[in-house]
Amino acid sequence: MYTFLLFYLFIIVKATIAGICLQKQKPDQIRLAIASKNSVNVGWHSYACPFSTKNPNPTPRVKYGLSPAALTSNSTNGKSSTYNTKNIFTRTSWFYGVELQDLQPRTLYYYQIVAMNNGLASDIFSFTSPPALGDRSQPVKIAAYGDMGVDGLLGSLINGVCLFERAVIALQKMLPSIDFVLHHGDICYADDTPLLVLGKTYDQAMDYCQMAMMNITSKRYYMTAVGNHEINCTQIPFLRDACPKNYRNQFPYSNRFNMPSKQSGGYLNAWYSFNYGFVHVVSLSCESDFPNAPSGNLLDTKTQVNWLKNDLAAVNRSITPWIIVQCHRPWKGSIAIEGLSDGKFINCPQCKAAFEAILIKYKVDIYFAGHVHWYERICPNGGKKTADYINPNGPIYITNGAIGNPEGNDHVFKRSSDSCRIITDPGFGVLTLVNARQATFSFYRTSDLVELDRINIIKAR
């Protein structure tokens, strides 16, 4: 009798674990990134079976094609990685990336992540491949912002309920008119104290955030920069289990994202570049790898700086007349009250010393930053108060860390003399590159998508 009951219990437990395993092996957190001239990276996450660290998908594969009913191409040009997430439910997370190569330019593709080991395949998603290099037949539209993360209970008290979710909904509404996204660092705020009020570990917060954004990241290229919340994970150092020491040096970020560092000669999602039609985009690390970097160095103080010089020197402006740079920290702009404890400045003079002369030399058009939790643009050509940036004599500096985060938006302590506009309402930007010489940048309020600021850019070169 007891033997039968034990056997019956064993069957139930085994079936339950198998059911959980089957459910959790379905790919999630799906995200797209531009890889190279005619290739795209599909990234995702899956759990291993409970009480196992075995890779559930050792040969990750993606099917794709021109119709959801005919996914006739296969790519196994992929990678997988894991790290110890200290999951209290003994689930091991695995992260994947598969590069879809030899894509036709500006073509609608459908794709599906293939199931492995009795798991489930993903749903079928779609994306439009990047235009051919130098293609000017259509404007390029880029959503641009930094510093967006999940709220937690304290964040909801500071910012109002569900600021993160409201931001995601606003971005989804804007998505049909967007080609890709630039996120200027501080992605999800998984290390922030307010998350602990809801009992989430670092990785549970990251998982929630990336799942919530999947309706965006599975349809548009989501190109990230590393911020201080990614590289160090030091917001709650007294709670080691929530933010382990091995999470320093952007370890989770390096596993969870697939930026084109390898394809562009950069390093570990920290710095890289890519082309999209007639635009060349550079993403830098304002956290590491230059003299006096705020967060130390992953390699040294020279490699990133030399890479930037070589990358910009190789740009053919007759093919890609626009150069856009994103980095987490600004070096121009006003002082925030919230930044007074940080040496009385949030701005990054060491970033300026390392990068500004290079950006000016190679005539970079726009420098996007976050870190300061508001929207601010610096006036063109020596401080003229205007919304028309006509033949600016250097990069246009835009700080845009206002979309929403658990720390709340900043307040002005001292306004910079070269500041043209500051907006502290939660919002995000959209850059529209019309042709080789004309562009606009608009800042939209998250709550109702009302345009609060707009600048016109015209350049002679």
Side-chain angles (χ1 to χ4, degrees):
M1 177 66 177
Y2 292 111
T3 302
F4 174 77
L5 289 175
L6 288 174
F7 177 74
Y8 186 68
L9 181 61
F10 171 76
I11 294 297
I12 293 175
V13 171
K14 185 176 181 180
T16 301
I17 291 176
I20 294 173
C21 183
L22 183 66
Q23 178 185 7
K24 292 303 181 183
Q25 279 187 337
K26 183 174 182 178
D28 58 24
Q29 302 177 32
I30 297 168
R31 46 197 172 270
L32 298 172
I34 296 169
S36 63
K37 179 180 178 181
N38 56 357
S39 66
V40 167
N41 188 283
V42 179
W44 71 93
H45 160 271
S46 289
Y47 286 115
C49 291
F51 309 104
S52 172
T53 60
K54 185 178 180 181
N55 187 349
N57 197 346
T59 55
R61 185 162 61 96
V62 175
K63 298 190 301 182
Y64 59 104
L66 302 180
S67 164
L71 304 178
T72 55
S73 298
N74 281 273
S75 179
T76 57
N77 182 30
K79 65 175 185 177
S80 57
S81 66
T82 187
Y83 62 93
N84 181 10
T85 58
K86 296 192 174 183
N87 192 300
I88 60 175
F89 299 111
T90 65
R91 295 179 299 180
T92 298
S93 288
W94 282 85
F95 304 93
Y96 303 92
V98 169
E99 189 174 334
L100 312 185
Q101 299 176 323
D102 301 321
L103 302 176
Q104 296 299 311
R106 210 185 287 278
T107 301
L108 179 63
Y109 283 93
Y110 296 86
Y111 70 98
Q112 182 180 42
I113 299 164
V114 178
M116 282 291 293
N117 293 350
N118 298 318
L120 300 175
S122 75
D123 296 333
I124 296 175
F125 300 93
S126 66
F127 65 88
T128 298
S129 57
L133 181 63
D135 181 0
R136 304 182 189 182
S137 62
Q138 296 182 28
V140 175
K141 295 187 176 183
I142 308 166
Y145 53 84
D147 301 75
M148 183 170 77
V150 293
D151 301 287
L153 180 58
L154 183 57
S156 294
L157 293 174
I158 295 173
N159 304 312
V161 177
C162 299
L163 179 63
F164 167 69
E165 288 78 7
R166 284 184 276 134
V168 170
I169 291 171
L171 290 170
Q172 287 179 226
K173 290 180 179 178
M174 191 69 75
L175 206 61
S177 62
I178 296 300
D179 293 310
F180 63 91
V181 176
L182 293 178
H183 189 143
H184 325 314
D186 283 3
I187 308 158
C188 294
Y189 283 80
D191 62 339
D192 244 345
T193 306
L195 300 176
L196 298 179
V197 179
L198 296 183
K200 284 184 170 64
T201 66
Y202 180 97
D203 285 283
Q204 287 171 331
M206 283 295 295
D207 291 343
Y208 171 79
C209 175
Q210 293 192 279
M211 279 296 295
M213 296 186 68
M214 200 174 83
N215 281 339
I216 298 167
T217 61
S218 65
K219 300 173 183 177
R220 296 293 185 273
Y221 311 111
Y222 204 86
M223 313 304 293
T224 60
V226 62
N228 54 294
H229 284 269
E230 285 75 60
I231 195 166
N232 275 334
C233 191
T234 55
Q235 291 299 108
I236 42 175
F238 56 89
L239 292 172
R240 295 180 181 178
D241 287 338
C243 215
K245 288 183 179 179
N246 69 322
Y247 282 23
R248 314 291 163 79
N249 297 325
Q250 66 177 52
F251 196 63
Y253 172 76
S254 298
N255 280 270
R256 287 175 174 269
F257 293 89
N258 297 287
M259 297 299 109
S261 293
K262 180 179 178 181
Q263 293 86 345
S264 60
Y267 184 71
L268 207 62
N269 296 333
W271 57 90
Y272 61 86
S273 67
F274 64 92
N275 296 305
Y276 190 93
F278 58 99
V279 185
H280 183 72
V281 179
V282 177
S283 188
L284 297 175
S285 172
C286 279
E287 298 304 316
S288 69
D289 292 81
F290 55 91
N292 303 309
S295 301
N297 299 301
L298 302 175
L299 293 175
D300 52 48
T301 62
K302 297 180 180 180
T303 299
Q304 179 180 203
V305 175
N306 289 335
W307 173 86
L308 176 62
K309 293 176 182 177
N310 294 332
D311 182 87
L312 293 179
V315 175
N316 185 337
R317 300 303 283 266
S318 66
I319 298 175
T320 51
W322 290 95
I323 300 179
I324 312 300
V325 173
Q326 72 165 347
C327 201
H328 181 54
R329 296 178 186 246
W331 56 73
K332 290 181 181 289
S334 304
I335 301 173
I337 292 175
E338 288 77 359
L340 294 180
S341 61
D342 185 18
K344 296 190 177 181
F345 294 97
I346 285 183
N347 292 349
C348 184
Q350 59 269 52
C351 301
K352 173 184 171 73
F355 300 129
E356 184 175 53
I358 302 171
L359 304 192
I360 292 173
K361 176 180 179 179
Y362 291 102
K363 296 181 172 58
V364 166
D365 296 293
I366 300 174
Y367 176 82
F368 282 123
H371 197 57
V372 182
H373 298 162
W374 62 43
Y375 164 77
E376 182 175 24
R377 57 179 170 87
I378 302 304
C379 298
N381 300 348
K384 181 181 178 182
K385 305 290 184 181
T386 180
D388 295 320
Y389 290 66
I390 300 174
N391 294 328
N393 56 14
I396 297 169
Y397 292 95
I398 297 175
T399 299
N400 190 5
I403 191 168
N405 63 87
E407 297 175 349
N409 280 11
D410 288 330
H411 300 87
V412 179
F413 171 71
K414 182 178 180 181
R415 183 156 184 162
S416 174
S417 60
D418 58 2
S419 174
C420 254
R421 186 75 189 274
I422 296 178
I423 300 173
T424 59
D425 289 357
F428 61 94
V430 175
L431 172 66
T432 302
L433 303 164
V434 180
N435 53 43
R437 295 183 58 244
Q438 295 180 317
T440 62
F441 181 83
S442 297
F443 180 80
Y444 294 93
R445 187 164 54 205
T446 300
S447 59
D448 52 14
L449 294 181
V450 169
E451 185 182 66
L452 299 182
D453 190 41
R454 180 184 179 94
I455 66 173
N456 303 303
I457 306 168
I458 299 176
K459 60 177 186 172
R461 60 180 187 275

Short mmCIF file of all heavy atoms in Angstrom, two decimals, residues 330-353:
data_model
loop_
_atom_site.label_atom_id
_atom_site.label_comp_id
_atom_site.label_asym_id
_atom_site.label_seq_id
_atom_site.Cartn_x
_atom_site.Cartn_y
_atom_site.Cartn_z
N PRO A 330 26.22 62.63 -19.79
CA PRO A 330 26.45 63.90 -20.49
C PRO A 330 27.68 64.60 -19.93
O PRO A 330 28.13 64.31 -18.82
CB PRO A 330 25.18 64.69 -20.18
CG PRO A 330 24.79 64.21 -18.81
CD PRO A 330 25.20 62.76 -18.73
N TRP A 331 28.21 65.53 -20.70
CA TRP A 331 29.27 66.40 -20.16
C TRP A 331 28.94 67.88 -20.35
O TRP A 331 29.74 68.75 -20.05
CB TRP A 331 30.63 66.07 -20.76
CG TRP A 331 30.73 66.13 -22.26
CD1 TRP A 331 30.74 67.23 -23.05
CD2 TRP A 331 30.89 65.01 -23.13
NE1 TRP A 331 30.88 66.88 -24.36
CE2 TRP A 331 30.99 65.53 -24.45
CE3 TRP A 331 30.96 63.63 -22.95
CZ2 TRP A 331 31.15 64.69 -25.57
CZ3 TRP A 331 31.12 62.82 -24.06
CH2 TRP A 331 31.21 63.34 -25.35
N LYS A 332 27.75 68.16 -20.82
CA LYS A 332 27.26 69.53 -20.89
C LYS A 332 25.88 69.55 -20.25
O LYS A 332 25.16 68.56 -20.26
CB LYS A 332 27.18 70.02 -22.33
CG LYS A 332 28.52 70.25 -23.02
CD LYS A 332 28.31 70.76 -24.43
CE LYS A 332 29.64 70.97 -25.13
NZ LYS A 332 30.37 72.12 -24.61
N GLY A 333 25.51 70.71 -19.73
CA GLY A 333 24.16 70.85 -19.20
C GLY A 333 24.12 71.34 -17.78
O GLY A 333 25.14 71.66 -17.16
N SER A 334 22.92 71.39 -17.25
CA SER A 334 22.64 71.97 -15.93
C SER A 334 22.94 70.97 -14.82
O SER A 334 23.13 69.78 -15.06
CB SER A 334 21.19 72.43 -15.88
OG SER A 334 20.90 73.33 -16.93
N ILE A 335 22.95 71.49 -13.60
CA ILE A 335 23.23 70.67 -12.42
C ILE A 335 21.91 70.34 -11.74
O ILE A 335 21.08 71.21 -11.51
CB ILE A 335 24.16 71.40 -11.44
CG1 ILE A 335 25.49 71.75 -12.13
CG2 ILE A 335 24.43 70.55 -10.21
CD1 ILE A 335 26.40 72.62 -11.29
N ALA A 336 21.73 69.06 -11.43
CA ALA A 336 20.50 68.61 -10.77
C ALA A 336 20.68 68.60 -9.26
O ALA A 336 21.77 68.33 -8.75
CB ALA A 336 20.14 67.21 -11.26
N ILE A 337 19.61 68.89 -8.53
CA ILE A 337 19.65 68.82 -7.07
C ILE A 337 20.06 67.43 -6.63
O ILE A 337 20.87 67.25 -5.72
CB ILE A 337 18.27 69.18 -6.48
CG1 ILE A 337 17.96 70.67 -6.73
CG2 ILE A 337 18.21 68.87 -4.99
CD1 ILE A 337 16.57 71.07 -6.30
N GLU A 338 19.53 66.42 -7.32
CA GLU A 338 19.81 65.04 -6.95
C GLU A 338 21.27 64.66 -7.16
O GLU A 338 21.73 63.64 -6.67
CB GLU A 338 18.90 64.10 -7.74
CG GLU A 338 17.45 64.13 -7.31
CD GLU A 338 16.68 65.35 -7.82
OE1 GLU A 338 17.28 66.19 -8.50
OE2 GLU A 338 15.49 65.47 -7.51
N GLY A 339 22.00 65.47 -7.92
CA GLY A 339 23.39 65.14 -8.19
C GLY A 339 24.39 65.81 -7.28
O GLY A 339 25.59 65.61 -7.42
N LEU A 340 23.93 66.61 -6.32
CA LEU A 340 24.85 67.36 -5.49
C LEU A 340 25.73 66.46 -4.63
O LEU A 340 26.86 66.80 -4.32
CB LEU A 340 24.07 68.32 -4.59
CG LEU A 340 23.32 69.45 -5.33
CD1 LEU A 340 22.59 70.32 -4.34
CD2 LEU A 340 24.29 70.27 -6.16
N SER A 341 25.21 65.30 -4.26
CA SER A 341 26.02 64.39 -3.43
C SER A 341 27.10 63.70 -4.23
O SER A 341 28.00 63.10 -3.66
CB SER A 341 25.11 63.32 -2.80
OG SER A 341 24.47 62.56 -3.79
N ASP A 342 27.04 63.79 -5.54
CA ASP A 342 28.02 63.13 -6.41
C ASP A 342 29.04 64.17 -6.89
O ASP A 342 29.14 64.47 -8.07
CB ASP A 342 27.29 62.48 -7.59
CG ASP A 342 28.23 61.68 -8.48
OD1 ASP A 342 29.32 61.34 -8.03
OD2 ASP A 342 27.85 61.40 -9.64
N GLY A 343 29.81 64.71 -5.96
CA GLY A 343 30.80 65.71 -6.31
C GLY A 343 30.20 67.00 -6.83
O GLY A 343 30.88 67.76 -7.52
N LYS A 344 28.93 67.24 -6.51
CA LYS A 344 28.20 68.43 -6.93
C LYS A 344 27.95 68.49 -8.43
O LYS A 344 27.53 69.50 -8.96
CB LYS A 344 28.91 69.71 -6.45
CG LYS A 344 28.95 69.82 -4.93
CD LYS A 344 29.43 71.19 -4.49
CE LYS A 344 29.40 71.29 -2.97
NZ LYS A 344 29.83 72.61 -2.48
N PHE A 345 28.24 67.39 -9.15
CA PHE A 345 27.96 67.32 -10.57
C PHE A 345 27.49 65.92 -10.95
O PHE A 345 28.05 64.94 -10.48
CB PHE A 345 29.21 67.65 -11.41
CG PHE A 345 29.68 69.07 -11.27
CD1 PHE A 345 30.70 69.39 -10.39
CD2 PHE A 345 29.10 70.08 -12.01
CE1 PHE A 345 31.14 70.70 -10.26
CE2 PHE A 345 29.53 71.39 -11.88
CZ PHE A 345 30.56 71.71 -11.00
N ILE A 346 26.49 65.84 -11.77
CA ILE A 346 26.18 64.58 -12.44
C ILE A 346 26.97 64.50 -13.74
O ILE A 346 27.37 63.43 -14.17
CB ILE A 346 24.66 64.45 -12.71
CG1 ILE A 346 23.94 64.12 -11.39
CG2 ILE A 346 24.37 63.37 -13.73
CD1 ILE A 346 22.45 63.90 -11.55
N ASN A 347 27.22 65.64 -14.37
CA ASN A 347 27.92 65.64 -15.64
C ASN A 347 29.31 65.03 -15.51
O ASN A 347 29.89 64.96 -14.42
CB ASN A 347 28.02 67.05 -16.19
CG ASN A 347 26.66 67.59 -16.59
OD1 ASN A 347 25.70 66.85 -16.64
ND2 ASN A 347 26.58 68.88 -16.85
N CYS A 348 29.87 64.61 -16.63
CA CYS A 348 31.08 63.78 -16.64
C CYS A 348 32.23 64.50 -17.35
O CYS A 348 32.42 64.33 -18.56
CB CYS A 348 30.75 62.46 -17.34
SG CYS A 348 32.09 61.26 -17.36
N PRO A 349 33.02 65.29 -16.62
CA PRO A 349 34.13 66.00 -17.28
C PRO A 349 35.18 65.06 -17.84
O PRO A 349 35.84 65.38 -18.85
CB PRO A 349 34.70 66.87 -16.15
CG PRO A 349 34.23 66.24 -14.89
CD PRO A 349 32.90 65.63 -15.19
N GLN A 350 35.37 63.87 -17.22
CA GLN A 350 36.35 62.93 -17.76
C GLN A 350 35.87 62.32 -19.08
O GLN A 350 36.69 61.97 -19.93
CB GLN A 350 36.68 61.85 -16.73
CG GLN A 350 35.53 60.99 -16.24
CD GLN A 350 34.86 61.53 -15.00
OE1 GLN A 350 34.48 62.71 -14.94
NE2 GLN A 350 34.72 60.70 -13.98
N CYS A 351 34.54 62.22 -19.26
CA CYS A 351 34.01 61.78 -20.55
C CYS A 351 34.32 62.84 -21.62
O CYS A 351 34.72 62.52 -22.74
CB CYS A 351 32.51 61.56 -20.48
SG CYS A 351 31.97 60.33 -19.26
N LYS A 352 34.10 64.08 -21.26
CA LYS A 352 34.41 65.19 -22.17
C LYS A 352 35.88 65.17 -22.58
O LYS A 352 36.21 65.29 -23.77
CB LYS A 352 34.06 66.52 -21.50
CG LYS A 352 34.47 67.78 -22.25
CD LYS A 352 34.15 69.02 -21.42
CE LYS A 352 34.73 70.28 -22.04
NZ LYS A 352 33.98 70.67 -23.25
N ALA A 353 36.77 64.98 -21.61
CA ALA A 353 38.20 64.97 -21.90
C ALA A 353 38.57 63.82 -22.84
O ALA A 353 39.45 63.97 -23.69
CB ALA A 353 38.99 64.87 -20.60
#
